Amino acid sequence: MNNRNDVQEFILKIERNFDVNSWRIYDVRVWPIVRIKLFLAIISKLENFDKHRLSTKISDGKSIFIFFKSILSLPRLLLFFKNLKARKFLFFGYENHRIVFNDSNYNRFFDTIISSVNIKNESYAFDFGSRKYYNVCNSEIFNKLDKLLHTFFQFYKLKLKFFPFSKKTKLDGYAGFINYIKSNNFTSEITCLIEENVLKIQIKDLLINSKFFEKILLKTQPYKVFMLNYYSEKFFALNHACYNIGIDSIDMQHGPQAGTHLAYANWSEVPNKGYELLPKYFWSWDEFSFSSTNNWTITNSHHKSIQYGNPWVDYFVINSNKYSDYQNQDFILYSLQPLSYDKLFPKNIIDIISKSTLKWFFRLHPNQIKDKDNLVKYFEDKGVLHKIDIDKATNDPLPVLLSNCLIHISNYSGCIIEASLLNKFSIILNEIGRDNFNDLINLKKAIYINANELTIEKLQDHIKNNISNFSKKNKLSFHDYFKLIIY
C-alpha cells in the first residue's frame, strides 16, 4: 500500500468479500470499530504518524487499589447524577478542542454556539481529558467526566460479575478475515488490534460506558446531542446510548473530512437501520466535506449528512470588525503538523524564510505545543528566529490569522478548509494534502507544490496573484440550524 487510495480499496474489498455486518459481540455490530481501527492503524504505519495506534490497549481493572479509590469517589458520582436537570442540548468534547479565548478556557466550536445562539440555560457541556481547566467558559453548565466515568466503570464491572451482559455473539467468517489480514505483509502486525479476544474486551468496556451515558441521557432528556469527534473510544459508547434511547446524535466536523477518510467516507455496506456506533447526523463545514458522507448517507434511512458551516469561522466572519490588531501586518501563515523537522522545513524552506522580507507565523499543532522550546532552538540554530512568530501564531484565533495573512501554507491540515471558507489561498506542500483537498485545488482555492520544490519566486508569484475574492455563495451557518430546530 502506497497511499490512502490504496488503503480505501483494501478496506472496501473486505466489505465486498466478507459479511461484515453479521459480526456481533454482545449483540453489537463490531464492523465500525474494526474498520476504523484498521484504517487508522494502516495510515499510522503508512504515514509514520502515531505509533501508539499500533499498540493493543486492554483494560486490566484488576487492581483492588483502583476499586477502593473509586469507593471514595462514589458520593461525587451520585451527586452528579442527582443534580442533572432536563436540557435540550448536550455538548460532548475533548480537551484538544479548547483554546484560551477572551481570557477563558473555550471550546471553539461548542462555546461559540452556546453563547451566540443564547442556549446556555438549555444546555450542558461535558469534556474528557487530563488537563486541569481554569476560568472555563460557560462554567455553570460544564462538567469534566473522566473521573466520574472511571468510578461508574468500576462499580458497573462489579455488577457484571452477578448480572453479565448477554453472550449473544456471532462472528461467522471472522477467523477467515483475520487470516486475510495476517496474510498481507503490510497489515500482518496490525492483526493484534482486532483479534476476537481484544474486541470482546473492548465491546464489554464500550457497553459499560454506554450505560453511563444512558443515565445522563435519561436524566437530561435532550433533544440533540453534539460530539467532537465520534470515533473515539468513549463516543462510540455515546452513540450507542443515543441509538438505544432514540436521541439524535450529531458529530461536528473538526478537521479534514476527505473522500479517503474512512471514518466518514465510502461506507459501502451500511444496514438500512444504521450502525448504533455511528452518529445519526454528520455536520460538515463545506460542500466537499459534506459530499464525503452524503455519498452514502443519502441512501440510508438512519444516518444523514447536514452542512451548516464551521461555527468558529462563521463567528469571526460576523464579528471581523472587532479584531483589527493585524491590519497593516504582512505575514505568511504556516499551519504545522506533528512531522519531523526535515519534512516540515527542508533546506529550501529555510532558505526561503532567510531570503524573505516578510514575517513567518508558525502555528503549532496541539501535539507540538510541548516541543515549542526545541523548535525555537532549531530556528535559532538556522539563523532565522528573528523572522518567525510562534506565540501569536499559535495562541491567537485561527480565523483572525487566516483573514489577515498574505497566504496560507500547510502540509495537510484542516486549516486549508478553514482558509477556503475565509477566501484565503493555500499552498499545500504534502501529497496527503494534495489528495485530501483535490476539490479545492480544482477550484483554484489552493495549489499543490512539493515542499522540496517551493521557491521564493513561486511563493512571491502566488502572493501577488492570490485570488482572495472567490465567489461568495449564501451558505447556511449554525445560526440557521438552531433557528430551524428551536422555532
Side-chain angles (χ1 to χ4, degrees):
M1 277 180 261
N2 298 313
N3 53 48
R4 294 195 179 199
N5 288 320
D6 292 343
V7 179
Q8 174 178 278
E9 180 51 37
F10 176 75
I11 291 178
L12 289 178
K13 186 177 180 181
I14 291 170
E15 291 185 340
R16 290 193 297 268
N17 294 341
F18 294 90
D19 188 9
V20 296
N21 287 329
S22 70
W23 299 336
R24 292 175 179 266
I25 295 177
Y26 301 129
D27 209 28
V28 176
R29 295 182 194 269
V30 298
W31 176 240
I33 287 179
V34 175
R35 181 194 223 244
I36 293 170
K37 272 190 163 193
L38 266 180
F39 169 67
L40 294 177
I42 293 172
I43 64 170
S44 291
K45 183 177 179 181
L46 183 67
E47 298 166 0
N48 196 28
F49 285 170
D50 183 4
K51 294 294 185 183
H52 291 94
R53 282 180 176 154
L54 299 180
S55 62
T56 308
K57 286 200 239 176
I58 301 179
S59 61
D60 57 24
K62 295 179 181 178
S63 169
I64 295 177
F65 172 76
I66 291 176
F67 181 75
F68 279 105
K69 187 177 179 182
S70 297
I71 291 177
L72 298 177
S73 302
L74 183 59
R76 184 181 171 211
L77 176 67
L78 297 175
L79 187 63
F80 165 73
F81 284 127
K82 180 182 178 182
N83 289 337
L84 287 175
K85 302 290 190 295
R87 293 289 188 272
K88 285 185 179 179
F89 308 108
L90 304 186
F91 297 87
F92 292 85
Y94 278 87
E95 61 185 18
N96 57 323
H97 299 113
R98 289 188 165 270
I99 59 170
V100 175
F101 178 63
N102 288 343
D103 297 322
S104 69
N105 192 286
Y106 188 95
N107 184 305
R108 59 187 186 274
F109 298 106
F110 291 160
D111 284 323
T112 298
I113 290 173
I114 292 167
S115 300
S116 299
V117 185
N118 195 25
I119 54 171
K120 183 175 178 177
N121 293 333
E122 301 175 88
S123 305
Y124 278 125
F126 304 103
D127 256 24
F128 287 99
S130 57
R131 290 204 317 252
K132 289 185 177 180
Y133 297 160
Y134 301 98
N135 197 23
V136 176
C137 182
N138 293 316
S139 58
E140 302 90 337
I141 62 169
F142 175 79
N143 284 280
K144 288 202 73 172
L145 295 180
D146 298 86
K147 292 181 179 178
L148 296 169
L149 177 56
H150 179 76
T151 301
F152 179 91
F153 189 94
Q154 297 304 317
F155 279 95
Y156 205 94
K157 203 153 52 165
L158 178 63
K159 177 182 177 180
L160 290 180
K161 292 184 181 297
F162 305 97
F163 306 98
F165 289 129
S166 165
K167 293 290 185 182
K168 191 173 180 182
T169 293
K170 184 180 181 222
L171 291 171
D172 296 346
Y174 197 79
F177 161 68
I178 291 295
N179 288 333
Y180 176 74
I181 300 298
K182 282 182 177 178
S183 68
N184 186 304
N185 290 334
F186 194 87
T187 59
S188 58
E189 68 175 312
I190 294 169
T191 311
C192 64
L193 298 173
I194 53 174
E195 293 278 10
E196 182 178 332
N197 64 317
V198 175
L199 271 183
K200 284 183 175 178
I201 292 171
Q202 184 171 2
I203 297 301
K204 186 176 181 181
D205 291 352
L206 181 151
L207 289 176
I208 296 174
N209 291 340
S210 178
K211 294 296 182 183
F212 173 78
F213 288 120
E214 279 186 19
K215 285 186 72 70
I216 293 176
L217 297 175
L218 291 170
K219 279 285 291 184
T220 56
Q221 295 292 309
Y223 177 39
K224 304 285 182 182
V225 172
F226 298 84
M227 65 190 73
L228 289 160
N229 59 316
Y230 91 84
Y231 54 94
S232 65
E233 174 186 330
K234 296 180 178 69
F235 290 170
F236 274 132
L238 175 58
N239 279 309
H240 182 270
C242 288
Y243 187 96
N244 282 347
I245 295 176
I247 294 171
D248 289 349
S249 61
I250 302 163
D251 176 73
M252 181 163 287
Q253 182 176 350
H254 66 286
Q257 199 168 289
T260 52
H261 193 319
L262 294 191
Y264 295 100
N266 292 306
W267 289 81
S268 64
E269 297 293 334
V270 184
N272 197 43
K273 292 184 178 180
Y275 283 119
E276 61 266 54
L277 302 185
L278 266 57
K280 182 171 183 178
Y281 290 95
F282 294 89
W283 176 309
S284 59
W285 297 345
D286 64 309
E287 57 193 290
F288 308 110
S289 303
F290 172 79
S291 66
S292 69
T293 55
N294 191 56
N295 68 356
W296 61 270
T297 60
I298 195 170
T299 60
N300 190 266
S301 66
H302 180 74
H303 302 294
K304 302 299 174 189
S305 300
I306 57 177
Q307 181 189 337
Y308 285 97
N310 181 323
W312 185 228
V313 170
D314 289 340
Y315 170 81
F316 282 94
V317 169
I318 295 170
N319 296 281
S320 58
N321 60 321
K322 297 180 181 179
Y323 301 92
S324 57
D325 293 350
Y326 285 91
Q327 288 182 1
N328 302 317
Q329 288 191 53
D330 292 335
F331 64 95
I332 296 166
L333 177 62
Y334 186 175
S335 302
L336 304 181
Q337 276 80 41
L339 299 171
S340 61
Y341 290 175
D342 63 313
K343 290 183 179 179
L344 289 171
F345 315 110
K347 183 179 182 302
N348 63 306
I349 296 290
I350 298 298
D351 289 342
I352 291 172
I353 296 171
S354 179
K355 294 174 184 176
S356 176
T357 58
L358 298 170
K359 194 82 171 179
W360 285 67
F361 278 41
F362 287 95
R363 186 174 183 85
L364 302 182
H365 185 278
N367 292 342
Q368 291 174 305
I369 302 294
K370 60 184 180 298
D371 193 45
K372 177 192 161 188
D373 291 342
N374 292 331
L375 193 57
V376 168
K377 180 66 167 56
Y378 174 82
F379 287 131
E380 190 174 26
D381 292 344
K382 296 293 183 182
V384 295
L385 184 60
H386 63 290
K387 294 197 171 184
I388 286 165
D389 186 298
I390 295 177
D391 289 335
K392 284 179 70 66
T394 302
N395 297 326
D396 286 0
L398 177 61
V400 172
L401 296 165
L402 285 169
S403 296
N404 290 281
C405 69
L406 291 174
I407 200 163
H408 175 240
I409 298 175
S410 187
N411 284 273
Y412 47 79
S413 169
C415 299
I416 295 166
I417 300 176
E418 295 179 70
S420 74
L421 294 173
L422 288 162
N423 301 318
K424 191 63 62 172
F425 192 80
S426 294
I427 295 177
I428 300 170
L429 303 178
N430 190 289
E431 291 180 357
I432 299 171
R434 177 199 64 192
D435 295 340
N436 284 351
F437 305 111
N438 187 56
D439 289 322
L440 295 179
I441 293 172
N442 290 337
L443 282 175
K444 312 281 188 214
K445 294 189 174 187
I447 189 169
Y448 166 67
I449 304 175
N450 185 282
N452 293 305
E453 297 174 2
L454 184 64
T455 64
I456 192 165
E457 291 79 18
K458 289 180 181 178
L459 178 61
Q460 289 170 341
D461 284 344
H462 283 294
I463 291 174
K464 181 179 178 181
N465 299 319
N466 171 27
I467 304 172
S468 59
N469 58 342
F470 309 127
S471 61
K472 297 180 181 180
K473 299 178 181 177
N474 291 324
K475 297 175 182 177
L476 296 175
S477 73
F478 67 95
H479 289 278
D480 298 296
Y481 177 78
F482 281 89
K483 283 178 184 176
L484 182 68
I485 66 173
I486 291 176
Y487 303 108

